[in-house]
């Protein structure tokens, strides 16, 4: 587990700080939700903790309330986006899990039928 450290070169820290633009759809004291630049579904939003942690497990270990806030914010996004039929939440973790950006982020996907198992 890695404790939060300053992450000057982190893309999502820069989005949280407002130094890189993003379409913010929801924000609280602890998390920020913004549209994915390369959407994989009609709704594709990323919910990130304001604090820098690499993985979802790190968030849960060091700041458990923020881990809950990610899921609660995802549900608020789903309501705002009209995803009453359902949606999918994904934490890609590590290279084999498809994680490219090393700042924990919860994908919120919806607006189309989502296949299972995922690719
Ligand atoms: P991962 O593969 O790490 O789970 O997901 C990273 C996500 O971040 C990808 O879906 C990718 O499209 C998205 N992404 C990468 N760069 C940017 C960016 O500069 N702005 C936004 N809004 N999304 C980004
Ligand atoms: Zn970061």
């Amino acid at each position: 587990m890695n404790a939060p450290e300053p992450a000057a070169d982190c893309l999502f820290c820069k989005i949280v700080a407002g130094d890189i633009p993003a379409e913010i759809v929801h924000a609280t004291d602890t998390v920020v939700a913004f549209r994915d630049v390369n959407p994989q579904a009609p709704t594709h939003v990323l919910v990130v903790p304001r604090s820098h942690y690499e993985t979802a497990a790190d968030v849960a270990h060091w700041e458990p309330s923020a881990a809950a806030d990610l899921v609660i914010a995802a549900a608020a996004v789903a309501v705002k986006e009209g995803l009453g039929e359902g949606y999918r939440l994904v934490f890609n973790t590590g290279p084999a899990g498809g994680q490219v950006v090393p700042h924990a982020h919860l994908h919120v996907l919806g607006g189309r039928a989502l296949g299972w198992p995922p690719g």
Side-chain angles (χ1 to χ4, degrees):
M1 298 288 178
N2 297 309
E5 296 172 358
D9 290 332
C10 174
L11 173 64
F12 288 172
C13 281
K14 289 178 179 173
I15 287 177
V16 168
D19 294 337
I20 289 178
E23 188 182 342
I24 308 289
V25 296
H26 187 74
T28 74
D29 288 349
T30 54
V31 305
V32 177
F34 53 89
R35 292 198 194 282
D36 195 295
V37 75
N38 183 24
Q40 302 301 311
T43 290
H44 188 173
V45 169
L46 304 173
V47 191
V48 308
R50 288 185 182 273
S51 301
H52 180 87
Y53 301 95
E54 186 164 334
T55 68
D58 286 338
V59 182
H61 181 83
W62 293 104
E63 198 177 333
S65 63
D69 292 344
L70 291 174
V71 180
I72 292 166
V77 168
V79 170
K80 286 184 178 180
E81 296 286 310
L83 304 181
E85 294 294 308
Y87 55 92
R88 182 168 296 164
L89 303 182
V90 175
F91 284 112
N92 292 329
T93 304
Q99 183 175 11
V100 174
V101 179
H103 179 131
H105 49 281
L106 180 55
H107 293 259
V108 184
L109 296 147
R112 66 169 171 82
L114 296 161
W116 191 263

